[in-house]
Amino acid sequence: MTNTAARARLLELIKELAVVHGKVILSSGKEADYYIDLRRITLHHEAAPLVGTVMLEMLDEAGIDFTNAGGLTMGADPVGTALMHAAGHNGRAIDAFVVRKAQKSYGMGRQVEGPSVEGRNVVVLEDTSTTGGSALAAVEGVRKAGGNVVAVAVIVDRDTGSKERIEAEAGVPYLFAFGKDELGL
């Protein structure tokens, strides 16, 4: 499947499987008339590989040089894994990681799990973003672990200020594969 076809099919699946209409409270505490449940995509047998392909292509087209990708657990976990597998399929070594909401108080006491991000160029991922809070928490965790955050990338941008906030506060580019307009929202 070409990258153009992968992107078109992923958009179709997002519209079909992930967009839920009705009043909901978002993780940010804001109320919305629709919810984009991207776990229905990132954990789906057909869609997950497309997520990896589309996200990797988007980052490559933007000229982002990185060796690790991940973000705040739960939303970012399958996105990082999909990207890691897409890269591996193309003979590239990109490691995934998971950022806990808080540093562990036991074991190795880590907040960032997986292969070390120390001294590495890292992309922070999220499935979707409303206020940018989850991505910013992940950026902070990665930086504390010694990673060099080079971008934040999400599958769907809700166009509610995340891009502006993340670019201002984290000082890195914010990229998204699809905007809410592409979803007809």
Side-chain angles (χ1 to χ4, degrees):
M1 180 179 286
T2 67
N3 288 341
T4 301
R7 189 178 195 304
R9 179 63 180 145
L10 181 57
L11 179 59
E12 185 177 291
L13 287 168
I14 291 170
K15 288 178 179 179
E16 178 185 325
L17 302 173
V19 177
V20 180
H21 294 278
K23 294 256 185 237
V24 293
I25 302 297
L26 305 172
S27 65
S28 64
K30 293 184 176 185
E31 186 176 293
D33 293 330
Y34 64 91
Y35 184 70
I36 305 169
D37 187 355
L38 284 171
R39 284 175 197 85
R40 294 179 179 187
I41 295 301
T42 60
L43 299 170
H44 185 269
H45 69 280
E46 180 186 359
L50 299 174
V51 166
T53 299
V54 168
M55 296 297 283
L56 185 61
E57 178 184 27
M58 175 185 70
L59 289 160
D60 286 348
E61 285 180 359
I64 305 296
D65 179 35
F66 65 104
T67 59
N68 299 63
L72 198 63
T73 197
M74 164 77 103
D77 299 351
V79 183
T81 303
L83 197 149
M84 176 184 67
H85 286 294
H89 184 71
N90 291 312
R92 292 173 61 187
I94 294 177
D95 290 326
F97 63 88
V98 174
V99 180
R100 295 174 179 274
K101 292 182 181 179
Q103 187 173 346
K104 285 182 9 181
S105 61
Y106 57 92
M108 295 181 64
R110 295 170 61 177
Q111 183 177 9
V112 179
E113 299 286 357
S116 177
V117 297
E118 187 174 357
R120 313 275 297 323
N121 284 351
V122 172
V123 170
V124 167
L125 302 170
E126 188 59 74
D127 53 6
T128 187
S129 190
T130 303
T131 64
S134 294
L136 288 169
V139 167
E140 181 181 345
V142 167
R143 287 179 173 162
K144 281 183 189 174
N148 176 37
V149 179
V150 295
V152 170
V154 302
I155 301 169
V156 174
D157 179 58
R158 293 179 59 92
D159 194 23
T160 52
S162 291
K163 177 179 176 49
E164 297 77 11
R165 181 177 179 203
I166 288 168
E167 288 181 346
E169 293 183 28
V172 297
Y174 173 92
L175 307 166
F176 57 93
F178 303 101
K180 74 173 193 168
D181 293 344
E182 291 174 272
L183 301 178
L185 301 171

